[in-house]
Each structure stands twice: as C-alpha cells, then as structure tokens.
C-alpha cells in the first residue's frame, strides 16, 4: 500500500489532448465547467426548475489574462457539453465573438441562458488555495444560490474541486510507490527494473489498462504532437489576437531546408518544429500538454527531430516518453507545473527537464545521467517569469518553447559527457529550490501580465 504522498498520476493525465492556447486557462476551465454541468444533471427536479441564471466568477490569473487565453470560450464550451479531447477547435474559437450573444445550458429539460455578462472578472488578491480559481453558481430569480462549484485549475489541465479528492486520487495504487527521485531510484535498484518497465507497471496498476493499450496511447500522443508540427510548418498568416503576431515556423522551416547540409541545421529544424507546434497552440488548435499547453512546443519539436532526423525506433520514442513522464510527475508532485504558481520555470522549465531526460534515456544513458540531465534542465530555468504580452500565449511564449528545447538538448549533452557522480545538485534538491523560488516570486510575474515583457509594448 502506498502512502498519501505517493504519485498516482496517469501518463495520460500528464499528456492531455486539447485545444490551445493554455492548459490552465482553457483545458482546465472547460473540464471544470463540464463537471459542473454533470452536477446540474443530478439536481432534484424541484430545484432545477427554479433556475434562471448562471454566474461564472474568475480569480487570479484566470481573471487577469482569461480574455487573451480564451477562458470565457472554454467555460461556455464546457457548459454546452464539450470536452477538451473531442471538441472542434474551430467551433470553440467561434464562441463569445459577440458580447450580446446568448447560449443555453440545458439540463433536466431546463434551459438557462449565459453570455459574456455572466462572467465576472475579479481583480486583486483573493484568499483561495490556488490563484487560478473559478466559482460557478446556479441561481434562482430571487438570487438564491441553488448550486455552487469551486474549482482550481492547477496547471497542465489538471483541476481540483473544493470538497472533493484531487483529480486522479481515486485511481489504483502503483506497484512501486514513490514520491521522490531517490525513492524511484531505490525501486529500480532493488527490483532490477528499467525505468520504462517501472513506469509501465505503475500505469497498469493505477489505471487498470493493459500494456498493449498503454503503448497504443503513447503512440497516439506522439502522433497528435507530430500532427501539430506538420500543420504548423505549413501554416502562414497572423495569429489570433490584438498583437497581430506573424507566424514564423513555415519560413524558418524553408530556411532550415536550404541549410540542411550545414552542421547546425538540426538546430534550425528543431527551432522550426518547436515554433510550429507553439504557433498551433497560440491559434487554439489541438495540442498535447507536455506538461502544459504553454510549453506544448518543446516536446513535439524534440520528438519530431528524434523520429525524422535521428531515426529513433518507435520503442525508443516510447521509452523516452516514459522517462519524461517520471520527471514531469516528480515536478508536479513536489513543486508545480502551473505558471500561476511557478512562473514559466514551472512550464518551460519542466518541459525542458522532461525533454532532457527523454533524450538521455532514448540514447541509452544510465539513470544517473537521466537524473543529471533533468536537474540541469530545471536548474537553468530557475526564476523564469511568466509575463505574456496582452495575456496571449505568444510573446515570449512561442520562442521560449524553442529555447527550452535547445536547453534540453544541451542539458542532455552536458549530462552525457560529465560523470553523474560529479553533480553536486540532485534532482530532488533542485525541485525544492524550484518550489521555494516560485513561492518567493512576485505574483506580477506569474501569468498575470502585470509586469515584465507584458508591459513592454505599452511602454514603447
């Protein structure tokens, strides 16, 4: 039996499929709204017939940058019965275009209207367990609250609900319980397992899914990532929003092909692939959280490079993904992958560490080298702010994905050439530093667009 601190997250909760541009602002709120809709369907008839209105209250960075991130559209979509992994991103982007347009939430034969006026953006500090808080209320004509749900979008599309167990907490117990890198390594040594074997066996125990199905779903996740790259290197024009940012991936890809014979061409291709997936995320297209939507260009760039340039086998790709998941679980469990809590070190920093671990494990590195690569990846993102201009996941987010992937590759090279025993900082230690840094960081630099680069365009 595992302890209450054991990691019980599924691979496919970490790697989620859904619409961009932000897992905490789009996927999480859509899931929360959909869950509220399910609760509405369970109301006694005598209560539901009294319903006349819905109130949607947003706090923290959901309020500060929700407009730019499409939080309003995501919540309305969830209340209409849409889910992130199945919704049509084009239909989603069409919601809330007109502030006067009404939509109808239907449950038990009752229709309750919602519109832009139903959403209240609360400014200033609020006292909630997580800064990304949303409260949904069903009200009567007299103003009585008939049903209320309080939800926290904690990063990477994960949500928690007040009074409920955390997402995934009701799943099975892992065969090899761990909550730190040290505990993970002890299992590998004691039971003579590879990291990939341990991750597969834990996934089976937690979810009850067969190994064959786990492999199929990993391949599917990789395919979703690579489809985002393929779409992005063909797409041209402006990204949505007031910044009017021009897509660059297609141009960069063409230039990379012209320099294909040069020694640094693989970095040009890597940049193009990362920008391609990140631009698709910014456009609200379907991406994979790895571990978040804001960082969803790092992994597709690296895995597309591994597949098409380094010609890694499907099995090597899968094993690399499993190693990356172990790192992502440890960061999420012991610090946070939420930009609202950790700044961009929680998003790009984690993605870079995961990418470094993936590269090292797929290459055939030791567990010591995998840990060293991940530690280097995190260490050199400590203190990175999340300050998107206009609240859009565009500047600096898109280029930052390419930089995070390049750092991942360099962390892998450093870990490959240095004896892991020479590393003075362990992965567990750097995660403690990451958590402390996130707590000390001003909230102005944590996804609120109140400082840093977010102010640069207004000051110029």
């Amino acid at each position: 039996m595992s302890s209450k601190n054991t990691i019980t997250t599924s691979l496919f909760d970490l790697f989620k499929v859904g619409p961009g541009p932000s897992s905490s602002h789009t996927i999480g709120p859509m899931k929360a709204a959909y869950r509220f809709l399910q609760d509405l369907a369970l109301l006694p008839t005598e209560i539901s017939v009294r319903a006349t209105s819905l109130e949607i209250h947003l706090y923290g960075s959901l309020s500060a940058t929700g407009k730019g991130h499409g939080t309003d559209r995501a919540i309305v979509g969830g209340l209409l019965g849409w889910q992130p992994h199945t919704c049509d991103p084009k239909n989603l982007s069409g919601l809330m275009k007109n502030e006067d347009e009404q939509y109808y939430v239907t449950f038990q034969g009752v229709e309750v209207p919602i519109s832009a006026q139903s959403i209240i953006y609360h400014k200033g500090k609020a006292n909630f367990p997580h800064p990304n808080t949303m409260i949904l209320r069903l009200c009567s004509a007299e103003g009585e609250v008939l049903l209320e749900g309080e939800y926290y979008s904690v990063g990477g599309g994960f949500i928690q609900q007040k009074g409920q167990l955390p997402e995934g907490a009701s799943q099975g117990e892992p065969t090899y319980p761990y909550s730190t890198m040290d505990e993970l390594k002890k299992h590998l040594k004691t039971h003579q397992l590879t990291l990939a074997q341990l991750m597969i066996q834990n996934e089976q125990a937690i979810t009850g899914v067969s190994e064959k199905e786990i492999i199929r779903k990993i391949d599917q996740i990789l395919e979703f990532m690579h489809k985002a790259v393929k779409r992005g290197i063909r797409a041209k024009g402006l990204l949505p929003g007031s910044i009017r940012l021009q897509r660059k991936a297609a141009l960069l890809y063409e230039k990379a092909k012209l320099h294909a014979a040069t020694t640094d061409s693989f970095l040009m291709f890597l940049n193009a692939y990362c920008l391609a997936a990140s631009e698709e995320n910014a456009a609200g297209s379907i991406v994979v959280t790895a571990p978040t939507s804001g960082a969803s260009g790092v992994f597709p760039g690296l895995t597309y490079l591994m597949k098409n340039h380094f010609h890694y086998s499907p099995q090597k790709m899968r094993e690399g993904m499993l190693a990356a998941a172990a790192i992502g679980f440890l960061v999420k469990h012991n610090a946070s992958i939420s930009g609202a809590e950790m700044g961009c070190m929680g998003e790009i920093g984690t993605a870079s560490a995961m990418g470094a671990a993936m590269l090292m494990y797929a290459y055939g590195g030791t567990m010591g080298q995998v840990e060293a690569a991940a530690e280097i990846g995190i260490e050199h993102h400590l203190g990175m702010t999340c300050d998107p201009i206009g609240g859009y996941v565009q500047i600096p987010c898109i280029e930052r994905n390419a930089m995070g992937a390049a750092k991942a590759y360099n962390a892998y090279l450093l870990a490959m050439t240095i004896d892991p025993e020479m590393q003075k900082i362990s992965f567990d230690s750097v995660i403690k530093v990451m958590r402390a840094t996130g707590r000390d960081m001003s909230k102005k630099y944590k996804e609120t667009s109140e400082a840093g680069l977010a102010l640069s365009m207004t000051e110029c």
Side-chain angles (χ1 to χ4, degrees):
M1 179 70 76
S2 65
S3 73
K4 64 179 181 179
N5 293 320
T6 293
I7 293 170
T8 58
T9 307
S10 166
L11 295 167
F12 308 106
D13 284 330
L14 187 70
F15 297 116
K16 293 184 182 75
V17 177
S22 168
S23 45
S24 60
H25 288 66
T26 310
I27 296 177
M30 182 182 284
K31 287 170 60 180
Y34 182 82
R35 184 181 290 185
F36 189 72
L37 178 66
Q38 306 312 298
D39 290 341
L40 291 176
L42 299 176
L43 281 174
T45 305
E46 60 269 23
I47 293 179
S48 60
V49 294
R50 297 176 55 210
T52 58
S53 65
L54 265 166
E55 295 178 0
I56 301 157
H57 298 263
L58 301 181
Y59 300 86
S61 71
L62 293 182
S63 171
T65 59
K67 286 277 190 182
H69 286 84
T71 303
D72 51 352
R73 299 192 301 270
I75 293 172
V76 170
L79 290 171
L80 294 178
W82 300 0
Q83 296 190 70
H85 62 288
T86 56
C87 76
D88 185 329
K90 289 185 178 179
N91 289 342
L92 181 63
S93 66
L95 295 177
M96 305 295 282
K97 290 284 188 182
N98 184 343
E99 290 210 350
D100 296 325
E101 189 169 2
Q102 284 194 334
Y103 305 89
Y104 292 90
V105 180
T106 305
F107 56 97
Q108 299 191 46
V110 176
E111 286 189 341
V112 176
I114 52 171
S115 66
Q117 285 69 45
S118 306
I119 304 176
I120 300 98
Y121 298 87
H122 295 270
K123 304 299 181 183
K125 189 175 182 180
N127 187 26
F128 293 109
H130 192 278
N132 284 343
T133 296
M134 56 183 286
I135 297 176
L136 280 72
R137 293 186 181 125
L138 179 72
C139 301
S140 68
E142 297 77 29
E144 180 186 355
V145 177
L146 305 175
L147 181 67
E148 178 176 288
E150 184 173 313
Y151 307 90
Y152 318 114
S153 185
V154 297
F158 289 89
I159 58 168
Q160 294 178 13
Q161 182 175 357
K162 183 180 181 180
Q164 303 290 327
L165 288 171
E167 191 175 16
S170 60
Q171 300 183 107
E173 300 289 350
T175 305
Y176 304 102
Y178 68 93
S179 60
T180 66
M181 176 63 80
D182 276 350
E183 291 173 355
L184 176 59
K185 289 191 298 182
K186 284 177 183 175
H187 279 306
L188 299 179
K189 184 176 180 179
T190 301
H191 301 284
Q192 293 296 292
L193 292 168
T194 67
L195 180 56
Q197 289 170 337
L198 182 145
M199 295 297 289
I200 287 284
Q201 290 183 40
N202 273 3
E203 183 70 18
Q204 287 178 281
I206 289 168
T207 64
V209 173
S210 69
E211 181 175 353
K212 183 178 179 180
E213 179 64 8
I214 292 167
I215 289 170
R216 187 193 70 80
K217 291 176 78 172
I218 292 173
D219 289 345
Q220 188 179 57
I221 289 294
L222 283 164
E223 183 60 25
F224 271 113
M225 289 181 178
H226 295 168
K227 281 181 178 177
V229 173
K230 291 173 183 176
R231 290 194 309 268
I233 57 177
R234 293 193 302 265
K236 297 179 180 179
L238 298 177
L239 291 169
S242 59
I243 299 176
R244 297 184 59 79
L245 186 66
Q246 186 77 34
R247 285 181 181 255
K248 301 172 186 173
L251 177 62
L252 187 54
Y253 179 63
E254 292 303 317
K255 289 190 175 182
K257 288 194 292 184
L258 292 175
H259 293 82
T262 63
T263 55
D264 57 358
S265 64
F266 85 95
L267 269 178
M268 295 182 70
F269 279 110
L270 177 60
N271 286 330
Y273 301 151
C274 292
L275 261 61
S278 294
E279 287 173 356
E280 283 298 287
N281 176 65
S285 294
I286 295 296
V287 294
V288 177
T289 61
T292 67
S293 296
S296 63
V298 175
F299 252 67
L302 289 169
T303 57
Y304 202 83
L305 187 82
M306 291 164 67
K307 178 181 178 181
N308 295 286
H309 293 254
F310 300 165
H311 307 294
Y312 277 14
S313 68
Q315 184 59 20
K316 286 287 187 185
M317 301 283 289
R318 295 173 195 133
E319 290 178 353
M321 290 285 284
L322 290 166
I327 298 303
F329 290 164
L330 287 166
V331 177
K332 180 184 181 298
H333 188 77
N334 295 298
S336 174
I337 58 174
S338 167
E341 288 188 297
M342 294 287 120
C344 206
M345 70 173 167
E347 300 196 44
I348 296 293
T350 305
S352 188
M354 290 168 64
M358 173 179 66
L359 288 164
M360 180 57 76
Y361 196 78
Y363 170 77
T366 66
M367 192 58 203
Q369 289 175 313
V370 170
E371 178 183 5
E375 187 279 323
I376 294 168
I378 286 288
E379 182 180 336
H380 298 289
H381 284 89
L382 290 174
M384 180 174 278
T385 59
C386 180
D387 49 354
I389 291 177
Y392 294 100
V393 189
Q394 297 181 13
I395 302 174
C397 320
I398 294 171
E399 286 183 358
R400 192 167 280 175
N401 275 265
M403 295 298 293
K407 282 188 178 182
Y409 197 88
N410 205 34
Y412 149 69
L413 292 178
L414 285 168
M416 184 198 300
T417 53
I418 298 172
D419 183 350
E421 296 300 320
M422 296 172 64
Q423 287 293 108
K424 297 294 186 182
I425 308 296
S426 70
F427 186 76
D428 289 333
S429 294
V430 84
I431 294 306
K432 290 178 182 177
V433 175
M434 178 185 183
R435 183 176 67 239
T437 304
R439 288 174 176 172
D440 290 342
M441 189 184 294
S442 168
K443 73 176 184 66
K444 294 190 299 182
Y445 294 98
K446 294 193 284 189
E447 216 170 19
T448 59
S449 290
E450 294 177 352
L453 285 172
L455 300 184
S456 63
M457 289 183 69
T458 57
E459 292 175 350
C460 292

